[in-house]
């Protein structure tokens, strides 16, 4: 019988119980701990897989904090899409520029607001007279 007081929590009796188990078993200390750890891991994972959604959001947040997971809950209802890995985005040289401000743009994605605003100006109208087939001035380089 463990040597604890009647009102003591069960966690405080754990070292005493391990000492008693070690005294009664023929196993050495590291082997017993490995076996107990494996069994505890299996029980915890089984419980969490079966009942995680039954915990309240506060309890789920505490569980995630204890195991060191991120704060966002995992989405288990939707299957995860596997994305093809892309090479890292490289810095592209500028393709277009605005001579009056020096702002540049690579030509990928949406045009920056400065380029859109420039399209309605008198400077754009004058430039467009000499470059009818281009939308923006090319970068000199």
């Amino acid at each position: 019988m463990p040597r604890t007081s009647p009102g003591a929590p069960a966690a405080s009796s754990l070292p005493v119980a391990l000492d008693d188990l070690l005294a009664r078993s023929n196993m050495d200390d590291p082997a017993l701990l490995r076996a107990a750890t494996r069994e505890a891991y299996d029980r915890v994972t089984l419980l969490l897989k079966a009942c995680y959604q039954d915990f309240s959001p506060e309890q789920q947040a505490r569980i995630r904090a204890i195991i060191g997971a991120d704060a966002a809950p995992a989405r288990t209802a939707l299957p995860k899409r596997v994305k093809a890995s892309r090479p890292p985005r490289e810095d592209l040289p500028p393709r277009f520029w605005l001579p009056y401000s020096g702002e540049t743009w690579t030509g990928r994605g949406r045009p920056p607001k400065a380029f859109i605003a420039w399209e309605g100006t008198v400077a754009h109208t004058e430039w467009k007279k000499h470059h009818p087939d281009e939308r923006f001035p090319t970068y000199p380089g």
Side-chain angles (χ1 to χ4, degrees), residues 122-139:
V122 175
H124 175 261
T125 308
E126 289 298 319
W127 177 83
K128 194 71 169 165
K129 287 180 187 175
H130 302 289
H131 305 88
D133 298 331
E134 299 176 33
R135 184 172 178 194
F136 299 117
T138 56
Y139 185 75

Side-chain angles (χ1 to χ4, degrees), residues 27-116:
M27 298 175 68
D28 59 320
D29 187 24
L32 180 64
L33 287 176
R34 279 194 302 275
T37 303
R38 256 186 258 120
E39 182 182 345
Y41 174 79
D42 292 340
R43 285 183 178 184
V44 167
T45 54
L46 180 66
L47 176 68
L48 286 176
K49 284 180 182 178
C51 304
Y52 183 77
Q53 296 303 324
D54 295 335
F55 290 112
S56 71
E58 294 82 18
Q59 291 170 328
Q60 290 178 2
R62 277 190 255 145
I63 291 169
R64 285 191 306 272
I66 289 169
I67 63 173
D70 59 341
R75 294 184 180 193
T76 56
L78 299 175
K80 292 186 178 181
R81 295 177 64 194
V82 177
K83 294 183 179 181
S85 62
R86 282 194 236 166
R89 180 176 253 178
E90 58 190 49
D91 290 332
L92 298 172
R95 192 168 150 200
F96 303 107
W97 77 302
L98 297 178
Y100 74 93
S101 67
E103 177 138 1
T104 60
W105 176 45
T106 62
R108 296 211 177 171
R110 293 183 182 177
K113 291 179 182 179
F115 281 79
I116 301 297

